[in-house]
Amino acid sequence: MRYIVIGLGYFGSSLSMKLTEMGHEVIAVDMNMQKVEAYKDRVTHTICLDASDAQAISTLPTAETDVVVVGIGEDFGASVMATAIFKQIGVKRLMSRAISPLHQTVLEAIGVDQIIRPEQESAERLAKKLEMRGVIDSFDLTEDYNIIEATVPERYVGQTIAESNFRAKYQVNVLTILRYRESKNLFGKAYQKATVLGVVKAETVFESGDILVIFGKIQDIDRLLHSR
């Protein structure tokens, strides 16, 4: 996969290096030439340009990029401008870093696909989420066992917990489900807010867009999410 990461601060550089180590193509962008030079041998590509400049961004291969991550933290204005430009271009998947509640509200108003909160998110954890298709979040309990948030596979929509039989088929347990409902932010713009269903029952039915919170070994979870 190809990623564009905007900002080579601590978070952006860590994410870029981790994704590169995983074998992905990464284009890391920063307007500070010293940072660009510092990471050129550890990231697939590093480019010096101003990501708040639409003309400069137009030189990037956005149409062939799977995910754009705006990781700028210290410059609120540059972060919002870059995010808005990528949203206008219509990239496949847009993620942006928020450093305050106000920043998050503005990003929600722009309409990014996912907001990253650095106080909750490590670059390594985010890289793992990007690596596994369908995974929203992950928590390592031990070297072998994980709790994963993942979008319910379409083949299970309409089935109950009992019918899906995850435990017998994959040795994976469903802890709960996050289901999205429409809400409004401070600007009055509608957005989808996750609600927790609590302890699920055998008769709970999976709906399209449900986020499953599941527990098991990472290889078993991967089989559940991607086997046919």
Side-chain angles (χ1 to χ4, degrees), residues 43-63:
V43 177
T44 320
H45 311 285
T46 55
I47 298 174
C48 185
L49 62 77
D50 181 0
S52 63
D53 182 333
Q55 188 170 356
I57 285 182
S58 69
T59 64
L60 298 174
T62 52

Side-chain angles (χ1 to χ4, degrees), residues 51-166:
S52 63
D53 182 333
Q55 188 170 356
I57 285 182
S58 69
T59 64
L60 298 174
T62 52
E64 298 81 31
T65 297
D66 298 288
V67 183
V68 174
V69 180
V70 180
I72 301 169
E74 66 282 353
D75 190 333
F76 179 97
S79 167
V80 171
M81 281 296 296
T83 301
I85 292 168
F86 282 114
K87 179 66 177 180
Q88 187 174 30
I89 290 171
V91 295
K92 294 175 185 175
R93 185 177 177 191
L94 178 59
M95 305 171 71
S96 196
R97 176 184 176 188
I99 58 172
S100 70
L102 175 59
H103 194 180
Q104 178 169 336
T105 299
V106 173
L107 295 177
E108 286 172 353
I110 291 172
V112 301
D113 296 308
Q114 187 173 340
I115 295 171
I116 307 159
R117 290 169 292 275
E119 70 278 5
Q120 301 173 8
E121 191 85 68
S122 73
E124 184 167 352
R125 187 167 136 197
L126 177 58
K128 180 183 287 187
K129 286 159 53 176
L130 292 169
E131 171 79 1
M132 234 178 130
R133 274 185 303 111
V135 169
I136 307 298
D137 210 343
S138 69
F139 305 88
D140 298 337
L141 294 183
T142 68
E143 190 172 329
D144 295 322
Y145 286 91
N146 289 254
I147 294 175
I148 298 286
E149 288 182 10
T151 306
V152 62
E154 282 298 319
R155 65 186 181 279
Y156 292 114
V157 172
Q159 291 188 24
T160 64
I161 295 279
E163 289 168 340
S164 68
N165 206 15
F166 289 164

